[in-house]
Amino acid sequence: MNTAVLTGGSNLNSVAETALKAAARFWFLVAVIGQWAFMFYLVAFYGPSTFTGNFQAWTRNTMLFKGYVVGDTLGNLAFAGHALLAAVIAFGGTLQLIPQIRARAISVHRWIGRVFMVTALGLSVSGLYMEWVRGARINMTNALATSLNAVLIIAFVGLAWRAARSHQIATHRRWALRTYLVANAQWFTRVGVFAWILVNQGPVGIGAKFDGPVMVFMEFGCYLVPLAVLELYLRAKENPAPRGRLAMAGGLVVLTLLMAVGIGGVATAAWLPAVKAAYDPRTSIADTLSATIASTGIDQATRQYHDLKAAGPATYNFDERELNKLGYRLIEAGKLKEAIRVLQLNVEAYPQSSNVYDSLAEAYMDDGNKPEAIANYRKSLRLDPRNHGALEILKKLNAL
């Protein structure tokens, strides 16, 4: 064989190997940034409230579904434990991927691994409790996807532990990597959803109640897709064909860039606002009105809102998110008349916000008032033509 051909093949192999290693390092770097940002949010938002027993502070997170539930002490503790265990997973999991720790401090690596595995088991058990006992599932698809995720975590932890005990180091590392991915499924969900929204410039396929085809895919895809990518990466590493490794490197770079977009989106739209709200010294108008609605009714709460806004605008938090989250809490509780009144107040306060009309339209839909729902979805769409959720619903209602 020609020497030039051999040299060319050797160079291509070298380039392919270097590219695959560089792509893997790039993924790891972005993952560490995203995971530790998630950890910061979890610790900063849930830490102080959990250790002081002030679970009601969780209501300040407008994107949280069934976090704090009045009177459900066991459920609130389970949720707090689940959130803080996720912080341990985010921090410890990335440490386990650092080869220098494995090479120079194997005992540290082993102890972190033990903590990680026990934490992953706790995360899966608490997740199953919240889905099937507390009833935190959004729908049955969500419950089944979460349950399968928990089962995979338990199975992978067992297989990784068995391989380690048998000193099958290569096998142990494979199962440990799989455990890391399935244990971080909810992180992948958040990052994936926001990447999708930003790339499509709107929540295409998300669904008004997070029941659209994209969300159905994400329920299972948040751990099955990372597992599939991992298997392709492991095969590419073992495959001597340079083109396969170059293709894997290119695909991994694209996926990492999408992951970076999603991390930036979820951090700025969800994590940072939640942390900011947790340390906001102003009194939550949502919590204030919620207590009044429960004790004296919606009419008194409406008067209280106007009185407080006139007398103490700096003392209370009147941000758009406040009444919006109260409206959705009332919808979840089946108090649709009260939800509509609260969301009407938000429309009065923020008449140029597409989101407030969208929320009010949803309340009218749930209450069976189709004409008002259509009218408000149309207003929302006029203010934001990229509101794909409103567009989808109006099409279903034959209102376009």
Side-chain angles (χ1 to χ4, degrees), residues 200-215:
N200 289 280
Q201 299 184 344
V204 181
I206 299 294
K209 296 183 182 294
F210 298 97
D211 55 356
V214 171
M215 290 307 301

Side-chain angles (χ1 to χ4, degrees), residues 165-185:
R165 296 283 293 174
S166 303
H167 302 288
Q168 300 172 18
I169 303 305
T171 302
H172 164 72
R173 286 178 180 172
R174 284 175 175 264
W175 285 116
L177 285 170
R178 292 168 184 139
T179 304
Y180 168 78
L181 294 178
V182 294
N184 282 289

Side-chain angles (χ1 to χ4, degrees), residues 54-373:
N54 182 24
F55 300 140
Q56 189 174 356
W58 300 344
T59 60
R60 295 193 173 197
N61 187 346
T62 57
M63 294 189 177
L64 187 61
F65 177 73
K66 205 158 188 176
Y68 170 69
V69 177
V70 179
D72 184 14
T73 303
L74 182 61
N76 291 333
L77 286 171
F79 185 88
H82 188 77
L84 295 179
L85 287 174
V88 176
I89 290 290
F91 179 72
T94 50
L95 289 181
Q96 287 298 88
L97 298 180
I98 299 175
Q100 288 81 0
I101 294 179
R102 291 198 303 270
R104 301 174 187 173
I106 188 63
S107 61
V108 173
H109 174 76
R110 286 171 179 165
W111 275 107
I112 294 175
R114 290 166 186 154
V115 172
F116 178 85
M117 288 184 180
V118 171
T119 303
L121 290 174
L123 192 72
S124 60
V125 171
S126 61
L128 288 171
Y129 171 85
M130 288 190 295
E131 287 290 330
W132 296 105
V133 179
R134 201 184 196 208
R137 56 184 177 271
I138 298 173
N139 50 49
M140 189 54 66
T141 301
N142 169 259
L144 293 174
T146 301
S147 299
L148 176 59
N149 183 209
V151 169
L152 289 177
I153 291 174
I154 295 169
F156 290 176
V157 164
L159 291 166
W161 182 264
R162 186 178 70 175
R165 296 283 293 174
S166 303
H167 302 288
Q168 300 172 18
I169 303 305
T171 302
H172 164 72
R173 286 178 180 172
R174 284 175 175 264
W175 285 116
L177 285 170
R178 292 168 184 139
T179 304
Y180 168 78
L181 294 178
V182 294
N184 282 289
Q186 292 308 306
W187 180 81
F188 282 115
T189 299
R190 288 160 174 77
V191 171
V193 167
F194 273 86
W196 174 266
I197 291 172
L198 290 172
V199 169
N200 289 280
Q201 299 184 344
V204 181
I206 299 294
K209 296 183 182 294
F210 298 97
D211 55 356
V214 171
M215 290 307 301
V216 172
F217 172 80
M218 283 290 182
E219 298 288 1
F220 294 94
C222 62
Y223 51 90
L224 294 180
V225 170
L227 283 175
V229 172
L230 173 63
E231 296 307 316
L232 290 173
Y233 169 75
L234 293 174
R235 286 172 181 254
K237 280 186 68 177
E238 297 169 352
N239 190 341
R243 288 183 177 83
R245 280 182 283 174
L246 286 171
M248 185 67 231
L252 196 55
V253 168
V254 171
L255 290 173
T256 303
L257 291 173
L258 288 172
M259 188 170 72
V261 170
I263 290 169
V266 70
T268 55
W271 298 341
L272 289 178
V275 172
K276 181 181 177 182
Y279 294 90
D280 192 330
R282 295 175 296 173
T283 301
S284 167
I285 192 62
D287 292 344
T288 303
L289 296 183
S290 179
T292 303
I293 291 170
S295 60
T296 57
I298 187 62
D299 291 335
Q300 179 60 34
T302 302
R303 287 191 290 271
Q304 182 185 35
Y305 171 81
H306 290 298
D307 290 343
L308 291 175
K309 197 168 187 180
T315 305
Y316 289 84
N317 183 355
F318 290 96
D319 292 350
E320 179 186 328
R321 289 170 173 254
E322 286 287 305
L323 290 188
N324 215 53
K325 72 180 179 183
L326 176 56
Y328 276 105
R329 274 157 49 189
L330 291 168
I331 291 173
E332 290 168 15
K335 298 180 178 180
L336 296 174
K337 301 299 181 186
E338 291 86 349
I340 289 170
R341 290 284 295 278
V342 165
L343 294 171
Q344 284 173 338
L345 291 175
N346 221 19
V347 166
E348 293 173 11
Y350 298 95
Q352 297 306 312
S353 168
S354 170
N355 186 56
V356 297
Y357 288 104
D358 186 278
S359 300
L360 180 57
E362 186 173 338
Y364 276 125
M365 276 285 290
D366 289 347
D367 195 41
N369 191 336
K370 183 177 175 180
E372 284 294 338

